[in-house]
């Protein structure tokens, strides 16, 4: 009986960690776990030099959204790690609509961001990520 209760408590704690690890809110001033320093808002991760990303989404807007909502799991350079996918070439695998669906609805342990991000923010991120090829 005690072992069963302990197992249930451990599972609940693991689920709580998984669901709070991603989507770190809108505060970009907290240090990134990988480097101990937060990247500057508007500074694009490696391989994302200048220009538009589609529609009205600029790299600075997308980078700011990424830093606030995705970086905690997918790393500052989009490399992921552990159970978190590498996003550096995600546009070669998925188009913007597919990426928007994944961001909105979640997938494979990733939480859904519909309701946490606006449709415009999801579109900005998906267009930006779709350009990663």
């Amino acid at each position: 009986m005690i072992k069963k209760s302990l197992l249930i408590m451990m599972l609940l704690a693991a689920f709580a960690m998984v669901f709070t690890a991603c989507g770190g809110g809108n505060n970009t001033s907290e240090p990134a776990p990988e480097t101990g320093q937060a990247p500057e808002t508007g500074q694009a991760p490696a391989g994302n030099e200048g220009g538009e990303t589609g529609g009205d989404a600029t790299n600075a807007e997308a980078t700011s959204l990424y830093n606030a909502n995705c970086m905690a799991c997918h790393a500052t350079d989009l490399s992921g790690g552990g159970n978190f996918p590498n996003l550096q070439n995600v546009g070669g695998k998925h188009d913007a609509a597919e990426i928007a669906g994944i961001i909105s609805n979640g997938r494979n342990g990733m939480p859904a961001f519909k309701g946490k991000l606006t449709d415009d923010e999801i579109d900005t991120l998906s267009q930006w990520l779709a350009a990663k090829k």
Side-chain angles (χ1 to χ4, degrees):
M1 185 69 157
I2 292 175
K3 287 183 181 181
K4 187 175 180 180
S5 296
L6 182 59
L7 179 61
I8 290 171
M9 290 181 64
M10 289 174 52
L11 286 172
L12 289 173
F15 281 122
M17 285 189 282
V18 167
F19 288 113
T20 59
C22 290
N26 291 326
N27 184 355
T28 60
S29 64
E30 290 189 12
E34 296 83 11
T35 63
Q37 296 184 7
E40 296 173 21
T41 301
Q43 179 182 351
N48 302 318
E49 291 81 16
E52 295 282 329
T53 60
D56 294 331
T58 65
N59 281 337
E61 292 170 318
T63 301
S64 179
L65 286 167
Y66 178 87
N67 289 346
N69 297 284
C70 314
M71 183 179 66
C73 295
H74 296 285
T76 56
D77 64 354
L78 291 89
S79 65
N83 292 328
F84 304 111
N86 181 319
L87 301 178
Q88 292 172 334
N89 300 309
V90 70
K93 299 173 193 163
H94 302 287
D95 64 23
E98 292 171 324
I99 294 169
I102 294 168
I103 294 169
S104 294
N105 303 314
R107 185 170 107 176
N108 297 334
M110 178 177 151
F113 282 84
K114 188 171 186 82
K116 294 178 185 176
L117 297 175
T118 67
D119 289 342
D120 286 341
E121 290 171 328
I122 291 170
D123 183 58
T124 297
L125 273 172
S126 63
Q127 292 292 328
W128 182 70
L129 288 168
K132 310 290 178 229
K133 297 183 182 186

